[in-house]
């Protein structure tokens, strides 16, 4: 039941904040031209332009891969954390040493990155695809074919450096 509820909650949360994530990604991805011009002045300007030129659908471009990944991401992270915690749990006292808690959290973060990095790459490519003045609709499968297996893990090291320590701190303090 808790996995189902966390899946629904995670999906609802992801869908709710997705337009904000899209705007953030567009702003991070924008480049300055030679004339020192940018496409978006700020977050509000970006939001308005996406709405004007791409419609409400544009604000949710790339949401499907995100929704497909929310539930398994949490399950993988929690399952890995629980398995490593169980390994370090003293069978007599039921206690877990602090280093076991930290390692369990860090391993959960690593497992999460291995699963979510390809989803994030596809999501970001779909989010920025709306900026291109192209008549061709970009799909998740096109992105996967274009990038190949190794391309789906671009930036995974940086994500590991962010998510493993975060989870190593988060789980023991939770």
């Amino acid at each position: 039941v808790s996995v189902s509820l966390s899946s629904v909650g995670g999906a609802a949360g992801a869908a709710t904040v997705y337009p904000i994530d899209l705007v953030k990604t567009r702003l991070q991805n924008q480049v300055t031209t030679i004339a020192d011009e940018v496409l978006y002045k700020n977050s509000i300007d970006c939001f308005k332009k996406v709405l004007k030129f791409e419609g409400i659908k544009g604000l949710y471009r790339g949401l499907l891969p995100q929704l497909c990944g929310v539930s398994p991401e949490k399950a993988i992270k929690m399952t890995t954390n629980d398995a490593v915690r169980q390994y370090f749990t003293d069978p007599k006292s039921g206690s877990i040493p602090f280093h076991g808690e930290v390692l369990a959290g860090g391993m959960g973060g690593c497992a999460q990155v291995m699963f979510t990095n390809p989803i994030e790459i596809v999501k970001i490519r779909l989010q920025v695809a709306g900026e291109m003045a192209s008549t061709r609709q970009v799909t998740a499968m096109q992105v996967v074919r274009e990038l190949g297996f190794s391309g789906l893990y671009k930036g995974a090291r940086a994500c590991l450096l962010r998510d493993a320590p975060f989870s190593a701190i988060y789980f023991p303090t939770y």
Side-chain angles (χ1 to χ4, degrees):
V1 173
S2 64
V3 172
S4 298
L5 289 176
S6 66
S7 298
V8 171
T16 302
V17 300
Y18 197 80
I20 297 166
D21 186 56
L22 180 118
V23 167
K24 173 198 68 103
T25 302
R26 295 271 180 103
L27 289 169
Q28 288 175 333
N29 192 56
Q30 99 175 318
V31 293
T32 306
T33 64
I34 296 170
D36 220 21
E37 295 177 9
V38 290
L39 182 59
Y40 310 114
K41 295 178 210 156
N42 54 44
S43 300
I44 304 287
D45 183 51
C46 180
F47 185 87
K48 287 179 180 178
K49 285 180 178 173
V50 170
L51 212 57
K52 180 179 179 180
F53 295 110
E54 301 173 51
I56 195 88
K57 189 176 174 183
L59 291 172
Y60 291 92
R61 185 184 303 276
L63 177 63
L64 186 59
Q66 181 79 1
L67 292 179
C68 291
V70 165
S71 187
E73 168 197 344
K74 303 299 181 215
I76 287 167
K77 186 180 203 174
M78 300 301 257
T79 301
T80 303
N81 179 63
D82 289 348
V84 177
R85 283 174 54 91
Q86 189 173 15
Y87 177 79
F88 282 102
T89 302
D90 182 304
K92 292 180 184 171
S93 68
S95 65
I96 305 166
F98 183 70
H99 73 275
E101 295 263 6
V102 170
L103 191 59
M107 295 299 289
C110 288
Q112 170 195 329
V113 168
M114 298 314 292
F115 176 78
T116 59
N117 206 82
I119 292 167
E120 280 289 311
I121 294 285
V122 171
K123 178 193 79 159
I124 290 167
R125 292 290 177 107
L126 292 174
Q127 285 179 329
V128 298
E131 294 176 321
M132 312 302 171
S134 171
T135 55
R136 187 186 93 168
Q137 178 72 20
V138 179
T139 67
M141 284 311 296
Q142 288 171 328
V143 173
V144 170
R145 278 190 220 107
E146 177 186 312
L147 293 176
F149 183 79
S150 63
L152 292 173
Y153 283 93
K154 284 183 179 177
R157 285 188 196 112
C159 289
L160 282 168
L161 288 171
R162 177 194 66 198
D163 293 347
F166 171 83
S167 295
I169 294 165
Y170 174 79
F171 278 106
T173 59
Y174 176 65

